Amino acid sequence: MFEKMQRAFWKALTPDLVVDEPKVVAQPVSGLAPNVVAALGGVDNLKSQQPMALTRVRVELRDVAQMDRQALTVAGVPGVMMLEGGIVHLITGLQP
């Protein structure tokens, strides 16, 4: 406990000299179905994903060419909006 307090104290005084402890990175597929992730090119092709509304998910891809639009339709994604820089909006619609 004392080490944590000491580390926090020195981090406050010298923020650029004390290295942060590595953080656990959550998998970017927490809200996407496995078949949707596969249609987007797999877990390794996803940089990030963020729900935008009840009916949309914003996904950033490493390589847009790996995305399979037909497989997305089969997976239940009725609309796909492509933006620049590997950004894709998945329009999912409300599930009955």
Side-chain angles (χ1 to χ4, degrees), residues 36-54:
V36 173
V37 173
L40 290 170
V43 174
D44 294 334
N45 195 33
L46 296 178
K47 277 188 182 178
S48 66
Q49 66 97 19
Q50 175 183 12
M52 299 303 289
L54 290 175

Side-chain angles (χ1 to χ4, degrees), residues 13 40 51 53 58 60 64 67 81 86:
L13 293 178
L40 290 170
R58 178 184 187 269
E60 186 174 0
V64 179
M67 183 181 76
M81 183 177 11

Side-chain angles (χ1 to χ4, degrees), residues 20-38:
D20 287 330
E21 293 179 16
K23 297 178 182 174
V24 177
V25 178
Q27 288 293 334
V29 295
S30 60
L32 298 175
N35 52 352
V36 173
V37 173

Side-chain angles (χ1 to χ4, degrees), residues 7-19:
R7 186 171 188 81
F9 174 76
W10 286 113
K11 175 118 177 102
L13 293 178
T14 57
D16 56 336
L17 298 179
V18 178
V19 180

Side-chain angles (χ1 to χ4, degrees), residues 40-90:
L40 290 170
V43 174
D44 294 334
N45 195 33
L46 296 178
K47 277 188 182 178
S48 66
Q49 66 97 19
Q50 175 183 12
M52 299 303 289
L54 290 175
T55 60
R56 294 197 181 143
V57 178
R58 178 184 187 269
V59 180
E60 186 174 0
L61 302 176
R62 296 183 197 289
D63 183 12
V64 179
Q66 292 184 13
M67 183 181 76
D68 184 357
R69 288 183 90 138
Q70 222 173 12
L72 282 170
T73 303
V74 170
V77 179
V80 177
M81 183 177 11
M82 301 290 298
L83 301 173
E84 293 182 16
I87 306 292
V88 179
H89 280 232
L90 304 176

